């Protein structure tokens, strides 16, 4: 099951949500080109409120699954064939109420003492929710094998039908990518 991700900075620090979405769409198009046969019809992207973008070739949905995320000046996109994908990126912002987020996500209290662990846990949980096409409001228990990805940055961790990757991409930005190898992964209608 091939998958590709792309991460980029939006140059304008005050860029609008639409500017982030446009950047994500351009990255998704580039990734789709790299994952398609030479003679494949180009993909079009349709946005459905509150859901991952859906990719189509003509009027038919294609077998590519997409996930997008943005935080601060960063955008991240992921594209996978034959499985679900979840991508999340988060920039540290000391104005946010992290304790409330940690409580909401039911994070280990140790995570609050270690910002790197806190953000790694946060992005991993959001990426898992996206990979299973679920709400981030739905609690997902982090299996110990997956939780290891929060401590072992830069390596792929496999657990059950998930493959997870977590890393720090800049001093203040954390990235997680999760593949859901379950054959029942969401398809666009």
């Amino acid at each position: 099951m091939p998958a590709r991700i792309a991460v980029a900075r939006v140059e304008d620090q005050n860029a609008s949500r639409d500017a982030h979405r446009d950047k994500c769409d351009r990255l998704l198009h580039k990734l789709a080109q790299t994952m398609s046969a030479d003679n494949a019809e180009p993909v079009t992207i349709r946005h459905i409120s509150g859901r991952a973008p859906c990719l189509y070739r003509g009027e038919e949905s294609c077998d590519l699954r997409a996930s997008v995320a943005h935080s601060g000046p960063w955008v991240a996109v992921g594209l996978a064939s034959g499985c679900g994908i979840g991508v999340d990126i988060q920039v540290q912002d000391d104005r946010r109420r992290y304790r409330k987020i940690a409580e909401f996500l039911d994070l280990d209290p140790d995570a609050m003492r270690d910002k790197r662990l806190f953000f790694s846990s946060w992005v991993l949980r959001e990426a898992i929710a996206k990979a299973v096409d679920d709400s981030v409001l739905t609690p997902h228990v982090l299996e110990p094998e997956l939780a290891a990805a929060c401590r072992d940055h830069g390596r792929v961790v496999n657990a059950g039908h998930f493959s997870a990757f977590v890393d720090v991409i800049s001093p203040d930005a954390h990235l997680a990518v999760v593949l859901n190898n379950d054959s029942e992964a969401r398809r666009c209608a």
Side-chain angles (χ1 to χ4, degrees), residues 2 4 6 24 59 67 145 157 165 169 180 183-184 187-188:
R4 299 263 193 316
C24 288
E59 292 302 312
S67 181
E145 296 86 1
V157 173
F165 174 85
I169 60 169
N180 175 6
S183 61
E184 299 300 313
R187 300 185 82 99
C188 292

Side-chain angles (χ1 to χ4, degrees), residues 1-4 35 79-84 161-163 179-182:
M1 71 212 65
R4 299 263 193 316
M35 294 177 70
L79 208 54
S81 177
C83 66
H161 53 82
F162 292 112
S163 297
L179 297 180
N180 175 6
N181 302 309
D182 184 356

Side-chain angles (χ1 to χ4, degrees), residues 1 12 34 66 71 76 81 84 88 92 101 106-108 114 122-123 125 130 159 164 170 172-173 175 181 184 187:
M1 71 212 65
D12 180 1
T34 68
S71 179
S81 177
D88 195 50
Q92 288 178 218
I101 294 167
D106 196 28
L107 294 177
D108 181 339
D114 179 346
W122 180 1
V123 294
R125 285 176 187 255
K130 291 177 181 183
S170 80
D172 68 341
L175 171 74
N181 302 309
E184 299 300 313
R187 300 185 82 99

